[in-house]
Amino acid sequence: MESQLMDPMSRVRNRAIYALFAVTGSRIPEYLAEFRRLEGADLATVRADEERRLVELLQHASAHVPYYRRLLGDYGVVRDGKVNLDRFPDIPILTKEDILSEGEALHSDDMKGRHPFDNTSGGSTGSPARFIQDREFYDKHVVAAKFIYNEYLGKLAGEPEVNLWGSERDVYRGTLSPRERFTNYVYNRRFLNAFTVTESKLRSFVDEINSHKPVSLWVYVESIDVLSRFIEDQGLEVHSPKFIISTAGALFEPIRERVERVFRCPVFNQYGSREVGAIAIETRDRKYMRGFPYLNHVETIDGDIIVTCLNNYSMPLIRYKIGDTAVPVDTNASPSLGVERPVMKTVSGRVISHFKTPDGGLVHGQYLIHQFYFVDWIQKFQVEQTASDQVVCHLVLKGEPVAEDIERIEKNIKRVMGEDCRVSFDYCEEIPPSPSGKYLYTICRI
């Protein structure tokens, strides 16, 4: 998809992106055509499509996944290959604990033909779980979803963008591969690594945004908050994009107001997860969060977000409790606008702290959280900064600690906090929530 309003260079890049899809045999254009059709469809068409996807997923799970073969039969959801969607709400909620305990019983027996790969949950509850995804999931929920997000808000592929978020590899290595540089060039995007920031780095971010003149900014909410404060405090001029998409944290109204004041454009809250990809984004009027019913079936039950991923057949997640909470939508008062129908009003329950380095820099909490991905002997974690040179990792164990993991975690924390930082490990029975009831998986006490 391209527009005559695009500048000539962006139009060239747009055509190059789709040419590369064609050369590599990618099915992403096919998925995009399907999703764009649904974006313009009426409510009845969208609901029928979502039900079809749900039925096909349940049939597959019943036939190929040991855990669901038993469960869906026991609850009368699938009998003799026929699906009774009226019984769908009876399916027990799937938790991270279930994923850990059931293990390979949640894997599809045909996943080898689907190009599967390992991933892990984002740790928003302090308890990351490992799971399997496949190529179709990635192409639909990660790549195609971002095209749709941007198109929904008015940006086409090839137009300039800036992403303000974190990269562990850049902290460790500081370089991009030739392939990554080529891809970023074609997509016309710049990545600004916000895992570690100093005053000089924040100033370089402003310079990069002013020179690249992005149509859109994709940002970690805490990072754009820090950058906006800096721009305002320093009295700097910054390019105004068409819109900003904020993710990986709760977009509180004071943050939104500041960012919109500084960048002179609307900010939209986006919500997704590593487990199921794109879940919801604010509507253009920012009155509620709309879903993507061709990607995920979303429920809110007593404030908990429950998601059924419609396109990952290698390890189906059906009625999965994501670990975040939401303010539900009053369905009687809210409009039903086809694919834009609301799934929640706002997302809450995700709080991330920046840590402060002795030289005045900031370290994004996501960097610290990433250190605990794929560590199977940890059941739950919380990282706490108690002094400028002291970090405590609170760990609830489910196995014996592995010395190599401890060494790696300590080394990587010192990379960003300084070699003089004292990193300790507190093995405990439980990690309590904060007084507000939210689980804080990074805490800065200074």
Side-chain angles (χ1 to χ4, degrees):
M1 173 182 286
E2 67 175 60
S3 167
Q4 293 303 314
L5 298 178
M6 297 173 73
D7 67 84
M9 200 61 213
S10 294
R11 190 176 298 116
V12 169
R13 284 186 164 96
N14 182 282
R15 292 172 180 172
I17 290 167
Y18 285 93
L20 286 171
F21 285 151
V23 168
T24 59
S26 171
R27 297 186 64 188
I28 290 172
E30 172 190 336
Y31 300 146
L32 283 171
E34 180 182 11
F35 297 165
R36 287 167 183 151
R37 176 182 61 80
L38 290 165
E39 286 287 317
D42 57 51
L43 180 61
T45 299
V46 172
R47 282 181 169 163
D49 179 83
E50 185 177 9
E51 287 188 3
R52 174 187 63 79
R53 293 175 193 272
L54 199 54
V55 166
E56 291 175 358
L57 175 71
L58 293 168
Q59 288 173 329
H60 169 83
S62 176
H64 296 280
V65 182
Y67 174 78
Y68 287 117
R69 183 179 295 123
R70 167 178 50 83
L71 193 71
L72 298 178
D74 288 348
Y75 283 85
V77 181
V78 181
R79 293 278 173 82
D80 298 324
K82 295 182 179 179
V83 175
N84 180 1
L85 284 183
D86 290 339
R87 301 299 299 273
F88 181 80
D90 298 333
I91 300 173
I93 302 298
L94 181 71
T95 66
K96 287 184 173 68
E97 290 73 24
D98 293 327
I99 291 175
L100 293 169
S101 63
E102 293 293 336
E104 292 185 0
L106 282 162
H107 298 176
S108 175
D109 59 21
D110 69 349
M111 70 177 185
K112 288 186 178 179
R114 300 179 181 275
H115 306 281
F117 58 89
D118 285 344
N119 206 339
T120 183
S121 61
S124 61
T125 61
S127 302
R130 187 174 293 192
F131 49 93
I132 304 294
Q133 292 169 339
D134 53 42
R135 178 181 292 175
E136 182 174 348
F137 167 87
Y138 183 83
D139 286 350
K140 288 182 175 180
H141 289 245
V142 180
V143 181
K146 188 171 181 182
F147 276 66
I148 295 297
Y149 279 144
N150 282 325
E151 290 173 12
Y152 177 70
L153 295 176
K155 176 194 173 297
L156 298 179
E159 293 185 304
E161 69 175 83
V162 166
N163 296 347
L164 178 66
W165 52 41
S167 168
E168 289 168 273
R169 182 199 56 243
D170 288 351
V171 172
Y172 306 155
R173 211 175 63 195
T175 59
L176 293 175
S177 70
R179 179 177 180 179
E180 290 166 329
R181 288 196 294 270
F182 173 75
T183 301
N184 288 339
Y185 174 79
V186 173
Y187 274 84
N188 207 3
R189 66 190 178 199
R190 306 279 175 85
F191 283 91
L192 307 180
N193 188 9
F195 265 169
T196 61
V197 294
T198 60
E199 183 172 314
S200 62
K201 195 169 182 182
L202 289 170
R203 193 174 293 274
S204 74
F205 289 171
V206 176
D207 292 341
E208 188 77 11
I209 292 169
N210 286 339
S211 65
H212 194 53
K213 294 182 171 49
V215 172
S216 66
L217 284 173
W218 278 73
V219 299
Y220 280 170
V221 60
E222 292 88 357
S223 300
I224 197 64
D225 185 33
V226 168
L227 181 59
S228 296
R229 289 175 184 270
F230 175 77
I231 292 170
E232 197 162 54
D233 291 345
Q234 298 293 316
L236 302 177
E237 291 294 326
V238 67
H239 166 76
S240 177
K242 189 172 186 178
F243 61 86
I244 294 173
I245 294 180
S246 169
T247 189
L251 179 60
F252 299 114
E253 281 309 306
I255 298 176
R256 189 203 298 267
E257 290 170 5
R258 181 183 303 107
V259 175
E260 292 187 343
R261 181 170 66 247
V262 169
F263 284 89
R264 308 176 306 284
C265 72
V267 179
F268 296 89
N269 193 17
Q270 182 266 350
Y271 175 54
S273 80
R274 293 169 67 92
E275 300 100 304
V276 299
I279 299 175
I281 193 170
E282 278 187 312
T283 48
R284 297 181 186 95
D285 59 12
R286 290 174 289 173
K287 290 183 177 179
Y288 53 83
M289 303 285 286
R290 56 149 287 188
F292 296 86
Y294 42 80
L295 299 177
N296 290 304
H297 175 76
V298 182
E299 306 168 76
T300 54
I301 301 176
D302 297 327
D304 289 322
I305 299 172
I306 310 298
V307 181
T308 298
C309 181
L310 298 173
N311 302 294
N312 183 18
Y313 279 38
S314 291
M315 182 178 168
L317 298 179
I318 299 173
R319 305 201 77 215
Y320 172 57
K321 185 176 179 180
I322 209 98
D324 294 324
T325 57
V327 177
V329 170
D330 182 350
T331 53
N332 294 321
S334 300
S336 294
L337 303 173
V339 77
E340 293 186 84
R341 70 183 189 273
V343 294
M344 61 190 76
K345 188 166 180 61
T346 58
V347 182
S348 57
R350 295 174 292 152
V351 181
I352 304 173
S353 294
H354 274 95
F355 280 19
K356 301 173 183 178
T357 62
D359 61 1
L362 297 175
V363 176
H364 197 291
Q366 284 284 1
Y367 172 85
L368 301 156
I369 293 165
H370 286 190
Q371 306 312 315
F372 298 89
Y373 288 174
F374 301 106
V375 183
D376 293 334
W377 51 269
I378 295 177
Q379 179 176 321
K380 202 171 187 179
F381 71 89
Q382 184 180 75
V383 189
E384 179 182 14
Q385 183 177 17
T386 56
S388 62
D389 61 348
Q390 185 166 9
V391 171
V392 181
C393 303
H394 303 285
L395 307 178
V396 177
L397 304 181
K398 64 175 181 180
E400 286 297 317
V402 177
E404 290 83 356
D405 289 333
I406 294 291
E407 182 180 348
R408 174 187 58 80
I409 292 168
E410 181 176 359
K411 178 182 178 181
N412 288 342
I413 291 176
K414 287 187 173 185
R415 281 180 188 268
V416 295
M417 297 300 297
E419 288 301 320
D420 293 333
C421 181
R422 293 166 291 161
V423 181
S424 61
F425 295 86
D426 167 38
Y427 302 109
C428 50
E429 294 294 325
E430 186 51 66
I431 301 173
S434 70
S436 69
K438 295 179 180 178
Y439 183 86
L440 305 179
Y441 45 107
T442 58
I443 301 175
C444 179
R445 301 287 187 190
I446 62 173

